[in-house]
Amino acid sequence: MPLQVVNGRRAIERRLARGYDVWMRCVPLLTFLLACTGGVDKSDTGAADTADTDSGAPDIVLDPDVLDFGSLEVGFSEVATVAIGNVGTGDLQISSIALADIDLASIYTLSSISAAVVPPGEEVTLMVTFTPADAGTYTSEVLVGSNDPDEPEAAVGVTGSGRVP
């Protein structure tokens, strides 16, 4: 099954990596905000390709462990990045990226990543944008689901404060 992105009634299909099926479904929450889920599966169609099989296990690493945006004036935005790396010996398949506290989805927005499959020794970058709506402290986690056998869900803490000028 090729990549299928569903946004409203429109679907786009595209094969991203040989031997893998990647899917993502996005639904609009607000005019400028989408909630997305996705997955990566080994393809069961076509002939077997020994170059695509891996004998090792992936190992996810997120850097940094915490994003601290400090204090930011209400209405302004700041962007920080998280490296999602694979220090294992098999392909890392990223199945989901989400904010733990959905109530803060308008405060912390997450970019899409460039690839859902991260080969051993490689990494992809996730951008997190903090835009405080009111004065106060906003704390949550960015959760990254994957096929890492000992850490199927890794987390990066996010924290920041909004201040009134």
Side-chain angles (χ1 to χ4, degrees):
M1 200 187 258
L3 173 67
Q4 182 177 15
V5 178
V6 178
N7 184 359
R9 293 184 210 120
R10 181 188 282 178
I12 301 167
E13 294 189 5
R14 182 169 282 152
R15 172 142 337 253
L16 291 184
R18 187 174 181 180
Y20 292 96
D21 293 328
V22 181
W23 61 270
M24 179 177 280
R25 176 163 288 140
C26 298
V27 294
L29 295 177
L30 300 170
T31 304
F32 57 88
L33 182 66
L34 295 175
C36 298
T37 58
V40 178
D41 302 305
K42 272 286 206 187
S43 177
D44 58 355
T45 59
D49 184 349
T50 56
D52 290 336
T53 60
D54 43 75
S55 58
D59 189 6
I60 193 169
V61 62
L62 304 178
D63 185 39
D65 296 334
V66 176
L67 293 177
D68 187 345
F69 289 93
S71 180
L72 189 62
E73 192 172 312
V74 170
F76 285 83
S77 296
E78 186 172 327
V79 178
T81 60
V82 176
I84 303 171
N86 180 7
V87 295
T89 57
D91 285 345
L92 177 69
Q93 300 173 10
I94 299 171
S95 56
S96 64
I97 299 175
L99 193 62
D101 187 346
I102 195 69
D103 293 335
L104 296 179
S106 64
I107 305 298
Y108 291 106
T109 54
L110 310 175
S111 71
S112 59
I113 56 173
S114 60
V117 177
V118 183
E122 300 291 324
E123 65 181 35
V124 294
T125 301
L126 171 69
M127 294 187 342
V128 180
T129 304
F130 173 60
T131 309
D134 294 307
T137 300
Y138 301 93
T139 302
S140 188
E141 289 182 315
V142 174
L143 306 174
V144 180
S146 74
N147 66 330
D148 182 327
D150 63 343
E151 192 177 9
E153 187 173 75
V156 171
V158 290
T159 186
S161 298
R163 72 176 189 285
V164 177

